[in-house]
Amino acid sequence: MPSPSLLQRLKERKLVQWGVAYLAGAFVVFQLLDALAEPLGLTTTIQRAILVIVGIGFFITLILAWYHGEKGRQRVSGPELLMVTVLLVVAGVAMRALFNREEQPHNPANVGDDDGRAAIAVLPFENRSQLPEDADFTDGVHDQILMKLSRASSLRVISRTSVMGYRESPKNSRI
């Protein structure tokens, strides 16, 4: 008896049916992801991770369909387990690569880089008067300048509390 062709073996093991069923389920997952990503606050990294998981899952489904197709064998064979393990390792490496590309934590030295707007810091004024009550005046002027600058949408103003460390300090104000 001649050995069956590859196409005949694919039909016997119902590989095409399993593949089409998985792709239909993946389509539903992608549609739900598209509709719910914004309301659920899913980041692009999470969306990419789901894409990788669904992609790797397709190949796992094909492997399971090949080994469990028409035969209906319930035991997992060695080659099948090895292939699924390799695919899971590939998925893990891909997920690791996706999560390593996450944005770096906020660095105060890059304060102007966050949203493309220029950042400005208004340092506190020095009270050159001999009267201590004039210090309130210098604070008021400082606050008024900060308030006026914060109304400009093209500027990002560094907060008052962030610059108050320079009030009576010989610190270098350069960034």
Side-chain angles (χ1 to χ4, degrees), residues 43-115:
T43 64
T44 55
T45 303
I46 293 173
Q47 293 176 20
R48 287 180 190 149
I50 293 171
L51 176 66
V52 168
I53 291 169
V54 169
I56 298 296
F58 177 72
F59 293 108
I60 290 174
T61 300
L62 293 180
I63 290 170
L64 293 175
W66 180 263
Y67 281 97
H68 297 279
E70 189 175 333
K71 294 180 183 178
R73 203 172 16 168
Q74 298 302 316
R75 291 183 159 200
V76 178
S77 67
E80 177 185 13
L81 187 60
L82 179 65
M83 284 187 264
V84 169
T85 303
V86 167
L87 284 174
L88 290 175
V89 168
V90 167
V93 168
M95 297 293 283
R96 179 77 174 179
L98 284 175
F99 284 111
N100 279 346
R101 285 198 290 168
E102 267 302 294
E103 285 187 24
Q104 297 299 321
H106 179 66
N107 184 357
N110 299 331
V111 79
D113 297 358
D114 288 350
D115 57 4

Side-chain angles (χ1 to χ4, degrees), residues 1-6 8-9 12:
M1 178 186 281
S3 66
S5 68
L6 178 64
Q8 183 63 30
R9 290 175 64 191
E12 286 174 2

